[in-house]
Amino acid sequence: MIAIHQKDKSFSDNWIKYCNKNDIKYKIVNCYDDDIIKQLADCDGLLWHWNQNNSDAANFARQLIYSLEHKGTKVFPNSKTVWHYDDKLGQKYLLEALALPLIPTNVFYNKNTALEWAKKTNYPVVFKLSRGAGSMNVMLAHNYGQVQKIITKCFGKGWKDQNRIHALKERVWSFRRDKSLKSFFNIGRGIVRFVLPHPTHRVPRVEHNYAYFQEFIPNNDCDIRVIVIGQRAFAIKRMVREGDFRASGSGFIVYDRAEIPIECVRMSFEAAKTLETQSVALDFVFKDGLPLIVEISYAFLQSVYLKCPGYWDHELNWHDGSFLPEDFIMEDFFKQLEAT
Ligand SMILES: Nc1ncnc2c1ncn2[C@@H]1O[C@H](COP(=O)(O)OP(=O)(O)O)[C@@H](O)[C@H]1O
Ligand SMILES: [Mg+2]
């Protein structure tokens, strides 16, 4: 018996379909329930797709997962897959420790040390918060003056992790990109959300007492995202927004397999093996023709990948045709369960 945390428009929709199709015994659980451990007593495994929009999940998901692993329950995502999710600080240490090619990254926990570095570094640099998606908390700083202000804020009042101006600008960008009626009305909705944020965003978390900078890697009009689930990889190319260096969240996606450098796929398989992840999305930009990792993430918006024309296996053979990433996760999960 396995347990699935059900949430509409998450991986659970297709996980449940997979179980029904393959006659697999499952029960629906709610990981937010106080007695969740008791509910899982008769289960061999738990699958729970939580993401950065569920800020309440981030309060306890890792702790729940680790506790279940300790008692021998299989979990997706497991700890090695998820502990660094939406945690760029964690990813810096992990990728450096495993000698994986992260963009050169500097982190400071002391204002004076950060300012000393800023006096000597090359500009521009990329400033990021540890948390965030869709480029929301990523900005370019061109000179010492700008970085000085950023650092002062990092060690002063801090940064809200929800950026309402960015959210509104994104809707305007979607309209410029799509020129559809839907994206036009979306701007209206965005104005409402600007004034009256969604309940989950009303009390933003404040990020402070650290400053995270990356070397700016110029001349990238896209990033390459490769997702590795077990022995399979699929990929997309994400174009940057007009007049911007940021690709994540642009919605400008190229699915053509010929546009994906195979070196990124090869590196991703290797990285996934080193990271020992069940599922990992790796984002790459290029410096002097060589791919560097921007960030990693176990979860992704599954609907985006429905248009992928196929996937590679670990020997880099191409398999043509549509697929569901959620099925890949399930197949691997059952293999792991059987192995134990
Ligand atoms: N150091 C960098 N140099 C050049 N481009 C970058 C760098 N870091 C990020 N980017 C661009 O900005 C986008 C968003 O950055 P990322 O760190 O992935 O933030 P998010 O977590 O919001 O996706 C990336 O998709 C990439 O296109
Ligand atoms: Mg990203």
Side-chain angles (χ1 to χ4, degrees), residues 88 103 126 128 132-136 138 214-217 223 238 245-248 283 285 294-295:
K88 291 187 174 74
I103 296 174
V126 179
K128 300 185 185 183
S135 303
M136 180 167 62
V138 173
Q214 270 184 347
E215 179 182 325
F216 172 59
I217 312 298
D223 74 358
R238 306 185 298 187
F245 71 101
R246 300 168 304 173
S248 165
D283 302 338
V285 291
V294 181
E295 67 158 345

Side-chain angles (χ1 to χ4, degrees), residues 101-271:
L102 176 69
I103 296 174
T105 300
N106 295 97
V107 177
F108 305 100
Y109 301 101
N110 171 286
K111 186 176 173 182
N112 287 335
T113 320
L115 289 172
E116 281 311 310
W117 166 84
K119 279 177 197 155
K120 289 183 285 200
T121 196
N122 295 324
Y123 288 94
V125 292
V126 179
F127 169 70
K128 300 185 185 183
L129 297 185
S130 186
R131 309 173 63 233
S135 303
M136 180 167 62
N137 296 325
V138 173
M139 68 166 97
L140 200 59
H142 296 273
N143 52 49
Y144 177 76
Q146 286 178 356
V147 166
Q148 192 185 27
K149 273 193 197 138
I150 287 172
I151 291 172
T152 302
K153 191 165 168 181
C154 289
F155 294 95
K157 68 175 184 177
W159 301 81
K160 288 179 186 163
D161 71 341
Q162 296 298 326
N163 186 335
R164 278 195 246 168
I165 296 175
H166 174 89
L168 185 56
K169 276 189 186 161
E170 283 293 272
R171 291 180 194 251
V172 175
W173 156 247
S174 298
F175 174 66
R176 280 173 56 208
R177 188 190 62 210
D178 299 343
K179 302 268 183 330
S180 69
L181 211 57
K182 191 175 160 203
S183 57
F184 177 72
F185 285 121
N186 238 341
I187 297 179
R189 260 183 240 130
I191 293 168
V192 174
R193 279 285 167 245
F194 183 80
V195 182
L196 203 73
H198 190 273
T200 53
H201 295 158
R202 263 177 217 159
V203 188
R205 226 174 84 159
V206 175
E207 298 277 298
H208 63 143
N209 287 344
Y210 71 86
Y212 175 113
F213 295 98
Q214 270 184 347
E215 179 182 325
F216 172 59
I217 312 298
N219 307 322
N220 281 276
D221 63 355
C222 66
D223 74 358
I224 300 288
R225 163 166 279 205
V226 183
I227 298 179
V228 180
I229 300 175
Q231 306 284 300
R232 322 151 196 86
F234 46 98
I236 56 173
K237 175 171 169 173
R238 306 185 298 187
M239 306 310 294
V240 298
R241 295 159 177 81
E242 218 172 271
D244 199 329
F245 71 101
R246 300 168 304 173
S248 165
S250 76
F252 228 136
I253 295 170
V254 179
Y255 292 93
D256 184 358
R257 170 191 164 198
E259 297 285 316
I260 309 296
I262 197 73
E263 179 57 11
C264 291
V265 181
R266 196 194 59 72
M267 272 176 70
S268 298
F269 271 122
E270 263 182 28

Side-chain angles (χ1 to χ4, degrees), residues 1-4 15-16 18-28 42-47 330 333-334 337:
M1 168 94 100
I2 59 155
I4 298 176
W15 284 340
I16 290 167
Y18 183 95
C19 288
N20 289 336
K21 205 169 93 192
N22 293 287
D23 262 335
I24 291 162
K25 238 169 105 184
Y26 68 94
K27 75 177 190 188
I28 300 296
D42 58 349
C43 296
D44 305 301
L46 166 72
L47 294 111
M330 268 294 185
F333 195 71
F334 281 103
L337 270 182

